[in-house]
């Protein structure tokens, strides 16, 4: 690297020269904005920007580098102009909004922008510095931007003669919170002062600085400019590195980049080359979204997604941890311990609940309570993590919190057949009954295994729920019937067909590789599979949130027609486990095709437009990307093809592969079962074979 030419001015030049239509209150705790992290979360989440004219700033074309609590959000041009969401962030605050590069007085022409990892992006531009250069550029400008707040700018001389290249960066910031930016009220750009080898901005509530290596030849605070001059021989390069940090803060240490990451670096090979990129990108995004409980730094969990939900969302964190159990149980344990510390204690009707914000449910239903979902997911994740190999000591330490969740379930349901959501007086949602039924069965199994009372009562309640559900929630029609989405408080069924029905297929894992019994009988399950695989629900890219023929359907409606990646993955896994491989394979291939269009970084949702020859999936402008549940869905999609069903306490693992092998041969390596590496291969004939496993782990039947 060539150093800049010596400053031709004195040191005096370095002096200072001049959101959802429904409320988002938290069920079971104090009100909080959408995605608000509990006290343990170190990142600032963002409410849905209700005051902004035109809605949230769009994210669908942004390149979002993530290594929480750091973010770097850019457009494809690479220049940070301070518009929209552009900038470097740490813990929800924009440290630098503007970083515009000029070489020889001109902005480079952008020729390429691409993600090089979950936490980095590369931008390449060109320009002609010589008047006689002809049509070919003679300078290449490369910018490598990282979520940790660093950017390296490299100039390359492609001319046949030496070039004198002045380089300047125009910097500025508003030090705004992401929530203010989302609502369109970030505030004015702040005045800068010269500081160390760069610039500094200060407010009463915080400050930030940019330092440069090598130091600039000139720093102009009034214009926010840093300047260098380089003399480059033919073929030579020169680089400048900028570091953006809050004053006094050290380098960003992202949880997912530590050697102690809780996620195993699994890999996949196979006939379909897309599977390798999908799993690699999914795991990279999960690593980037990891956060640590600051009061208990050994416990990590997943933020819901970037850029809008960079804090802890309990239901999303539990769901993502459950889908990533094939990568080990440490993430599940950290998530469970973190949420156990937020659990509401008695007395009172909400004792035992995991608090969470309300969530929009579309046009047909009022907002649901994510706290209800999280409370029911807690014992399920603990029970299944134990099957995957969570040590018995950790299981028993978390058992009291799971018992409190189950006590809340039985107390809240009381003498009623169904669990209402939200309580009291809300509708009885089909997916809530599925969550409650699964929690009761897996919770009873967990209590029995740990010699705790209560299992029999939970099984009895689940049996009564199951018997009533198969009658009350099934709506007969000329097409063969369908499950109701909910029962209103007066008992009327709401018959719209929506993707939340996939939760009826997700029954949970018991011992000896057995799945728990579901709320639907065999005939009803077959009819649901037919509906999910039909054109009204399957867009060709994934499962619509609301059927295309239903009133209120909108391809962009985030609960009324958009494809939600998590629910599509749950449908694939549930249909495959129930034996409906044709429908599972169709949804799988559609979502895999969509992933290819999104660079294998799936967003949390995208438009439910019908797939056609030569078309591409339409992004949703407000979707998080990456999102924890979407990234975890990539893990679930591929591991469900092998049908891995471990029972670590019994020392067995059962394989129930998808016999139709919709993606051909598939090999998964580096998974974790019973605390040890696990590898499995599925042949083109749909036969599975274990290639690596813990000593003593037996293949079940």
């Amino acid at each position: 690297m060539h150093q800049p030419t010596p400053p031709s001015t004195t040191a005096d030049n370095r002096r200072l020269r001049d959101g959802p239509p429904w409320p988002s209150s938290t069920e079971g705790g104090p009100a909080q904005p959408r995605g608000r992290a509990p006290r343990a979360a170190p990142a600032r989440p963002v409410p849905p920007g209700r005051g902004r004219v035109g809605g949230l700033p769009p994210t669908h074309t942004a390149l979002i580098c993530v290594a929480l609590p750091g973010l770097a959000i850019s457009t494809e041009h690479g220049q940070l102009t301070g518009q929209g969401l552009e900038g470097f962030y740490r813990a929800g605050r924009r440290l630098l909004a503007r970083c515009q590069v000029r070489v020889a007085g001109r902005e480079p022409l952008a020729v390429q922008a691409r993600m090089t990892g979950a936490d980095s992006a590369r931008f390449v531009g060109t320009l002609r510095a010589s008047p006689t250069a002809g049509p070919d550029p003679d300078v290449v400008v490369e910018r490598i931007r990282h979520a940790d707040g660093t950017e390296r700018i490299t100039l390359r001389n492609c001319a046949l003669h030496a070039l004198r290249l002045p380089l300047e960066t125009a910097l500025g910031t508003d030090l705004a919170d992401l929530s203010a930016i989302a609502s369109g009220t970030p505030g004015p750009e702040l005045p800068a002062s010269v500081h160390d080898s760069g610039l500094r901005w200060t407010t009463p509530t915080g400050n930030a600085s940019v330092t440069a290596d090598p130091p600039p030849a000139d720093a102009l605070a009034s214009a926010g400019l840093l300047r260098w001059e380089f003399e480059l021989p033919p073929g030579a390069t020169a680089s400048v590195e900028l570091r953006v940090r809050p004053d006094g803060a050290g380098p960003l240490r992202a949880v997912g980049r530590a050697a102690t990451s809780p996620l195993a670096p699994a890999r996949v090979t196979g006939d379909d080359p897309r599977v390798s990129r999908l799993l690699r990108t999914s795991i990279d995004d999960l690593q980037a979204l990891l956060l640590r409980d600051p009061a208990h730094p050994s416990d990590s969990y997943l933020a819901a997604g970037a850029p809008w939900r960079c804090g802890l969302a309990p239901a999303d964190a539990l769901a993502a941890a459950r889908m990533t159990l094939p990568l080990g149980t440490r993430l599940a344990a950290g998530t469970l311990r973190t949420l156990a510390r937020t659990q509401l204690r008695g007395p009172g009707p909400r004792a035992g609940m995991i608090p969470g914000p309300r969530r929009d449910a579309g046009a047909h239903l009022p907002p649901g309570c994510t706290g209800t979902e999280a409370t029911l997911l807690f014992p399920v994740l603990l029970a299944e993590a134990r099957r995957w190999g969570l040590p018995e000591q950790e299981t028993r330490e978390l058992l009291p919190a799971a018992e409190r969740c189950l006590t809340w379930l039985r107390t809240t349901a009381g003498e009623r057949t169904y669990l209402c959501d939200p309580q009291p007086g809300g509708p009885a949602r089909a997916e809530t009954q599925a969550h409650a039924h699964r929690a009761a069965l897996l919770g009873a199994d967990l209590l029995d295994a740990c010699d705790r009372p209560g299992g029999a009562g939970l099984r009895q309640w689940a049996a009564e729920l199951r018997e009533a559900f198969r009658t009350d929630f099934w709506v007969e029609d000329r097409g063969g019937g369908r499950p109701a989405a909910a029962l209103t408080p007066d008992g009327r069924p709401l018959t719209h067909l929506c993707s939340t029905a996939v939760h009826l297929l997700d029954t949970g894992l018991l011992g000896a590789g057995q799945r728990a019994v579901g709320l639907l009988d065999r005939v009803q399950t077959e009819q649901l599979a037919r509906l999910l695989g039909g054109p009204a629900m399957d867009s060709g890219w994934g499962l619509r949130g609301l059927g295309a023929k239903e009133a209120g359907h909108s391809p962009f409606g985030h609960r009324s027609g958009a494809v939600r990646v998590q629910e599509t993955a749950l449908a694939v896994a549930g249909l495959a486990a129930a034996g409906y491989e044709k429908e599972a394979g169709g949804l799988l291939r559609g979502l895999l095709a969509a992933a290819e269009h999104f660079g294998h970084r799936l967003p949390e949702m995208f438009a439910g437009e019908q797939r056609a020859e030569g078309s591409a999936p339409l992004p949703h402008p407000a979707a998080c990307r990456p999102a924890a549940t979407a990234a975890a869905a990539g893990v679930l999609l591929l591991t469900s093809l092998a049908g891995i069903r471990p029972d670590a306490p019994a020392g067995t693992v059962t394989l129930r592969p998808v016999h139709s092998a919709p993606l051909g041969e598939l090999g998964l390596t580096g998974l974790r079962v019973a605390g040890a590496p696990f590898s499995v291969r599925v042949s083109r004939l749909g036969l599975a074979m274990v290639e690596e496993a813990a000593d003593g782990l037996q293949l079940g039947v």
Side-chain angles (χ1 to χ4, degrees):
M1 184 185 80
H2 285 251
Q3 298 296 323
T5 54
S8 57
T9 55
T10 67
D12 289 340
N13 285 320
R14 300 180 60 83
R15 294 195 309 263
L16 177 63
R17 296 187 176 172
D18 278 342
W22 299 100
S24 58
S25 61
T26 299
E27 195 74 17
Q32 61 184 358
R34 172 180 177 235
R36 173 76 64 182
R39 191 170 299 167
R44 286 186 178 90
V46 181
R50 299 293 298 160
R52 183 184 180 89
V53 176
L56 297 171
T59 60
H60 61 287
T61 59
L63 282 75
I64 303 178
C65 305
V66 186
L68 293 182
L71 288 174
I73 304 177
S74 320
T75 68
E76 60 186 6
H77 298 290
Q79 298 277 41
L80 298 181
T81 64
Q83 300 298 309
L85 290 169
E86 295 175 40
F88 284 96
Y89 297 79
R90 188 180 291 198
R93 174 168 295 215
R94 181 156 65 181
L95 302 182
L96 187 68
R98 193 162 53 85
C99 182
Q100 295 170 283
V101 168
R102 288 189 290 270
V103 179
R106 298 195 301 279
E107 289 193 9
L109 174 69
V111 296
Q112 187 185 72
R114 66 183 181 91
M115 300 294 298
T116 55
D119 63 344
S120 60
R122 178 177 184 259
F123 305 90
V124 177
T126 61
L127 55 84
R128 288 182 295 162
S130 303
T132 58
D136 298 332
D138 51 9
V139 177
V140 175
V141 182
E142 178 190 67
R143 302 173 73 171
I144 306 293
R145 186 169 294 151
H146 295 272
D148 65 0
T150 60
E151 177 166 333
R152 177 169 287 270
I153 304 165
T154 300
L155 309 182
R156 179 181 297 110
N157 180 6
C158 298
L160 298 177
H161 54 86
L163 291 176
R164 182 174 179 272
L165 297 175
L167 168 67
E168 65 179 25
T169 62
L171 308 173
T173 192
D174 46 25
L175 289 179
D177 282 343
L178 189 50
S179 56
I181 298 167
S183 63
T185 57
E189 191 168 288
L190 300 170
S193 61
V194 175
H195 175 74
D196 196 11
S197 56
L199 299 174
R200 184 174 186 264
W201 300 266
T202 302
T203 69
T205 58
N207 48 62
S209 62
V210 174
T211 57
D213 182 23
D218 202 6
L220 306 174
S222 59
L225 284 178
L226 302 181
R227 291 175 173 169
W228 297 261
E229 286 195 7
F230 295 97
E231 294 284 350
L232 293 185
T237 63
S239 294
V240 169
E241 183 170 276
L242 304 178
R243 291 184 290 274
V244 186
R245 293 178 187 169
D247 271 11
L252 181 67
R253 296 180 180 178
V255 179
R257 301 304 168 206
T260 56
S261 170
L263 299 170
R267 291 292 180 262
V268 61
T269 57
D271 291 338
D272 192 322
R274 297 173 297 180
V275 298
S276 176
R277 287 194 61 192
L278 176 62
L279 185 61
R280 182 172 65 250
T281 303
S282 295
I283 294 176
D284 284 350
D285 283 343
L286 290 167
Q287 302 271 27
L289 290 169
L290 283 170
L291 288 172
R292 240 185 225 111
D293 186 334
H296 301 83
S298 62
D299 292 339
S300 54
Y301 55 87
L302 289 166
W308 306 121
R309 304 173 71 206
C310 292
L312 175 60
D316 290 42
L318 288 164
R322 185 174 175 231
M323 288 189 282
T324 57
L325 282 172
L327 305 181
T329 61
R330 289 178 53 211
L331 176 61
T335 303
L336 289 167
R337 283 193 290 265
T338 298
L339 290 175
R341 292 188 281 269
T342 74
Q343 190 174 38
L344 301 178
R345 304 299 176 93
R350 294 189 173 115
M353 196 177 190
I354 307 290
R358 294 195 181 187
R359 176 169 59 200
D360 178 33
H364 297 278
L365 285 164
C369 174
T370 62
T372 298
E373 183 179 341
T375 306
L376 298 173
L377 268 172
F378 190 102
V380 169
L381 178 57
L382 180 58
E384 291 188 332
R386 178 175 173 269
R387 296 293 177 194
W388 281 88
L390 184 68
E392 287 296 317
Q393 180 181 350
E394 293 186 61
T395 301
R396 291 185 179 275
E397 289 172 354
L398 287 161
L399 186 61
E403 288 184 286
R404 288 190 288 271
C405 292
L406 296 169
T407 299
W408 173 87
L409 165 61
R410 293 294 290 117
T411 301
T412 305
E415 299 301 318
R416 296 186 300 272
T417 304
Y418 303 119
L419 183 67
C420 296
D421 178 29
Q423 301 85 26
R429 304 169 196 262
E431 72 268 22
T432 301
Q433 312 320 308
H435 294 320
H437 183 259
R438 183 181 60 218
L441 292 181
L442 270 65
D445 187 59
L446 179 65
L447 294 176
D448 289 352
C450 296
D451 299 319
R452 297 292 298 163
L458 286 166
R459 288 191 184 90
Q460 178 62 32
W461 180 80
E464 294 170 0
L465 170 63
R466 190 163 59 246
E467 181 179 1
F469 187 95
R470 292 176 178 180
T471 300
D472 297 344
F473 272 81
W474 192 257
V475 181
E476 296 292 349
D477 58 27
R478 288 181 295 177
R482 62 173 61 187
L487 299 182
T488 62
D490 61 3
R492 276 187 308 108
L494 299 179
T495 61
H496 59 279
L497 183 62
C498 53
S499 60
T500 54
V502 304
H503 295 287
L504 298 171
L505 300 170
D506 178 17
T507 60
L509 179 66
L510 294 174
Q514 297 300 310
R515 297 174 71 240
V517 63
L519 281 176
L520 300 179
D521 63 27
R522 182 68 183 178
V523 174
Q524 292 169 338
T525 302
E526 183 176 356
Q527 173 64 3
L528 177 58
R530 188 183 70 81
L531 292 170
L532 295 178
M537 290 299 293
D538 183 359
S539 70
W541 303 112
L543 199 65
R544 292 185 176 94
L546 182 67
K549 298 180 180 179
E550 304 294 332
H553 169 81
S554 165
F556 283 94
H558 74 286
R559 295 284 172 185
S560 56
V563 172
R564 299 194 69 84
V565 170
Q566 174 191 358
E567 288 173 348
T568 302
L570 288 174
V572 171
L575 290 166
Y580 300 100
E581 296 188 0
K582 177 183 176 182
E583 292 81 2
L587 289 169
L588 168 66
R589 286 187 289 268
L591 193 56
L592 192 60
E596 190 172 22
H597 283 280
F598 286 110
H600 302 278
R601 173 184 260 190
L602 282 164
E604 63 175 326
M605 60 181 171
F606 52 90
E609 285 277 348
Q610 186 62 42
R611 184 178 180 180
E613 183 69 29
S615 68
L618 293 175
H620 193 294
C624 285
R625 181 170 175 260
T629 53
V635 179
L636 177 64
L637 282 171
L638 299 178
T639 55
S640 64
L641 295 178
I644 307 166
R645 302 183 186 179
D647 188 351
T652 65
V653 62
T654 304
L655 301 179
R656 294 286 186 267
V658 177
H659 295 300
S660 58
L663 301 181
E665 185 173 339
L666 195 74
L668 289 156
T669 61
L671 304 176
R672 305 286 293 186
V673 174
F678 184 84
S679 301
V680 62
R681 183 166 298 278
V682 181
S683 73
R684 297 182 184 93
L685 300 176
L687 302 175
M689 180 178 65
V690 175
E691 295 186 333
E692 182 182 23
D695 291 341
L697 192 66
Q698 300 296 315
L699 189 62
V701 294

